[in-house]
Amino acid sequence: MKFTNAKRQLWLATTACAGLVLSCAGAQAQSANTTELNLPPVAAISQDLAAKGIYLNANYFGEFAGNLSGGEHQGSDYADQVVAGADIDLQKLVGWQGAALHIEFTNRDGRSQGADVINNSVATQQIYGGGQTYNLTTLTLEQKLLNGMIDITAGRTELDQLTLNDPIYCHFQSNAICGQPDIMGKIINASFWPVAVWGGRVVVSPVQDWYVKAGIADNDPVDSASPHHGFDWGTGHSKGAEIPLELDYQTSFADDAYPRRYDVGVVFDRTPYTYDQFMPVSKTGYGRTMLYVQAKQMVYRPDMNSQRGLTVFGAAVFGPDSNQVADYNISAGAVYQGPMASRPADSAGFLISDTHYRGSFINELYNYRVTTLGGSQRPASSLMMMEADYDAYLTPWLDVMPNVQYIVHPDGLGSRAYPKSNLPDAFVVGLQFNVNIGGLIGLPSEN
């Protein structure tokens, strides 16, 4: 069988990924390597800061993705991200009870394989986006009142930190669900990490495990422009706001043998919108709404003396208005923490996400394809993305996650021109790695 250079590289990547998984599966014990760089001045300074309530952190993420078949053509891309910041306990630092300051900077680089190669609107690398540059991503003040019953956070943040999110979603390299289901941007206007706007949230916990959440996020297209890097804090360009409301029930290992989370929510978008982001035909309007439910439940524990076990999750997002690009998304998956007793920090995951485009939107695309491009095939009404992965913790500061992704009906709405006919399904191999720089150089953790 004859391969192009690109395919040969992808097969090598696939073989490396498979070898890594097999080596993990054959391991007899989880690595106890706590090797850190010997940087006494850094350790001394960070320990002194931590004693004052200032906790520094830094991470490097890298993601490779390449498709062996399908999409616009075959090829691969690499994207990376550096995150650095601090969590400051103001009670410890200056005696301000219940207060904390959160600061985070990001720098992104690289290309989007999903957009550039497959021509799909949803990325195969979840760390791509936000201008591929440096940004002040978070600068928020948090205040807890009444022994934590009320938690108020405000400052420079973004909508996806305020609603419809869960840490389990970013177990995956695909951007179909990381942060929140990707459909959010096809139903309402939204600000997405790492690009920040003015916003805040109030969380009230009237009884244990129950939370009522309300927030607001500005919609400012100037803040989304990369030249400002998150430092244009004016409000003169504001187009309105998004207002999320959520009711959340959530337990933990502290009070539940099988931790769970169930919540329902709504986001009211009071801003003007345009279809230009998703199609060659301009269409504008004002005001939309998003409804959602999400659930997460641990269903199996092989050992009640550890936190190993299988957790299943799902989310359903709906756009009830006729002026939305998509009308619903259903996402579901599972993550097995510690699939082998000898490797409790490892995890394996599976995800499937299906976005259904509104009929009126598909009709617009079909009309453009026929009248302008000379095509005749009706665009697919759904975009389905799947992923299977294995996250191997090789040291306490390094984990590597080989993964495979399959995209059914790539939508042709990536960075390339809209295609004359529907694109073939794409098979993608990926590799994500995360270097906890703070752990590597010995920065103390707040927990």
Side-chain angles (χ1 to χ4, degrees):
M1 186 175 183
K2 188 175 181 179
F3 296 103
T4 64
N5 287 336
K7 282 196 172 184
R8 187 177 296 111
Q9 292 174 2
L10 293 177
W11 276 113
L12 289 173
T14 306
T15 303
C17 291
L20 178 59
V21 172
L22 291 173
S23 67
C24 292
Q28 297 299 311
Q30 183 79 32
S31 171
N33 181 9
T34 58
T35 302
E36 298 174 353
L37 295 179
N38 184 20
L39 301 174
V42 174
I45 292 171
S46 60
Q47 291 286 351
D48 182 61
L49 291 174
K52 294 180 172 68
I54 303 173
Y55 301 91
L56 305 178
N57 58 77
N59 287 79
Y60 176 84
F61 298 87
E63 290 181 339
F64 164 89
N67 59 317
L68 296 175
S69 63
E72 191 84 49
H73 62 268
Q74 279 67 67
S76 60
D77 276 318
Y78 180 79
D80 62 4
Q81 169 183 274
V82 177
V83 181
D87 295 296
I88 303 173
D89 184 339
L90 294 177
Q91 181 171 335
K92 185 181 290 186
L93 183 65
V94 295
W96 186 348
Q97 186 173 1
L101 187 65
H102 307 287
I103 305 170
E104 197 162 52
F105 291 89
T106 60
N107 186 78
R108 286 184 165 183
D109 195 13
R111 300 292 304 177
S112 171
Q113 188 269 344
D116 294 347
V117 180
I118 298 175
N119 196 9
N120 196 52
S121 67
V122 183
T124 56
Q125 302 143 282
Q126 48 97 340
I127 62 172
Y128 178 85
Q132 300 307 97
T133 185
Y134 66 89
N135 278 297
L136 171 61
T137 297
T138 303
L139 179 58
T140 56
L141 178 65
E142 180 181 13
Q143 176 68 66
K144 293 183 179 181
L145 304 169
L146 302 179
N147 294 320
M149 183 181 296
I150 300 175
D151 191 328
I152 304 171
T153 301
R156 301 292 291 176
T157 182
E158 67 289 323
L159 184 62
D160 67 346
Q161 293 280 45
L162 307 179
T163 187
L164 186 57
N165 60 55
D166 191 278
I168 202 171
Y169 295 164
C170 284
H171 173 89
F172 302 93
Q173 178 171 309
S174 166
N175 205 39
I177 198 170
C178 183
Q180 71 291 306
D182 179 77
I183 190 178
M184 180 186 285
K186 295 181 172 74
I187 291 183
I188 60 173
N189 287 326
S191 55
F192 296 105
W193 200 91
V195 178
V197 296
W198 288 112
R201 184 179 70 174
V202 178
V203 180
V204 179
S205 179
V207 295
Q208 182 177 339
D209 299 331
W210 285 92
Y211 304 88
V212 179
K213 305 175 182 180
I216 187 169
D218 187 23
N219 179 260
D220 189 340
V222 170
D223 281 334
S224 299
S226 58
H228 298 282
H229 305 290
F231 290 96
D232 186 335
W233 294 0
T235 58
H237 301 282
S238 176
K239 299 298 183 182
E242 285 80 35
I243 303 170
L245 303 172
E246 184 176 288
L247 176 63
D248 181 19
Y249 174 73
Q250 187 172 176
T251 66
S252 66
F253 282 108
D255 62 350
D256 191 350
Y258 293 88
R260 65 203 73 196
R261 177 182 180 182
Y262 300 98
D263 46 83
V264 297
V266 58
V267 180
F268 299 102
D269 176 3
R270 310 312 301 162
T271 66
Y273 69 87
T274 176
Y275 274 7
D276 288 355
Q277 178 184 356
F278 299 104
M279 62 184 296
V281 180
S282 178
K283 187 175 182 180
T284 60
Y286 180 87
R288 295 177 289 183
T289 303
M290 182 181 76
L291 307 171
Y292 64 90
V293 295
Q294 55 183 351
K296 181 176 70 172
Q297 169 80 61
M298 177 169 270
V299 295
Y300 173 68
R301 294 179 66 185
D303 177 8
M304 300 303 289
N305 294 317
S306 75
Q307 296 185 5
R308 296 174 53 233
L310 177 65
T311 297
V312 297
F313 65 90
V317 186
F318 305 94
D321 304 326
S322 61
N323 55 358
Q324 290 163 317
V325 171
D327 47 13
Y328 70 83
N329 169 275
I330 306 294
S331 299
V335 173
Y336 197 119
Q337 180 66 44
M340 295 172 285
S342 60
R343 300 192 62 83
D346 289 2
S347 59
F350 176 77
L351 165 71
I352 181 168
S353 176
D354 182 36
T355 295
H356 188 271
Y357 289 109
R358 193 169 294 279
S360 58
F361 175 73
I362 293 297
N363 290 339
E364 294 275 7
L365 286 179
Y366 181 46
N367 181 63
Y368 175 79
R369 174 173 283 173
V370 171
T371 60
T372 304
L373 303 179
S376 60
Q377 188 177 21
R378 184 173 178 81
S381 60
S382 66
L383 166 64
M384 183 179 294
M385 299 184 68
M386 293 173 276
E387 177 177 329
D389 58 47
Y390 188 96
D391 195 3
Y393 273 74
L394 305 183
T395 76
W397 47 265
L398 173 64
D399 66 281
V400 180
M401 188 180 76
N403 57 89
V404 292
Q405 304 176 44
Y406 195 78
I407 303 174
V408 181
H409 303 146
D411 58 20
L413 300 173
S415 63
R416 302 177 67 85
Y418 189 67
K420 185 177 179 179
S421 59
N422 292 348
L423 300 173
D425 298 350
F427 176 68
V428 179
V429 294
L431 184 66
Q432 178 193 82
F433 63 93
N434 171 29
V435 180
N436 183 343
I437 300 173
L440 175 62
I441 65 177
L443 299 180
S445 172
E446 187 175 5
N447 297 323

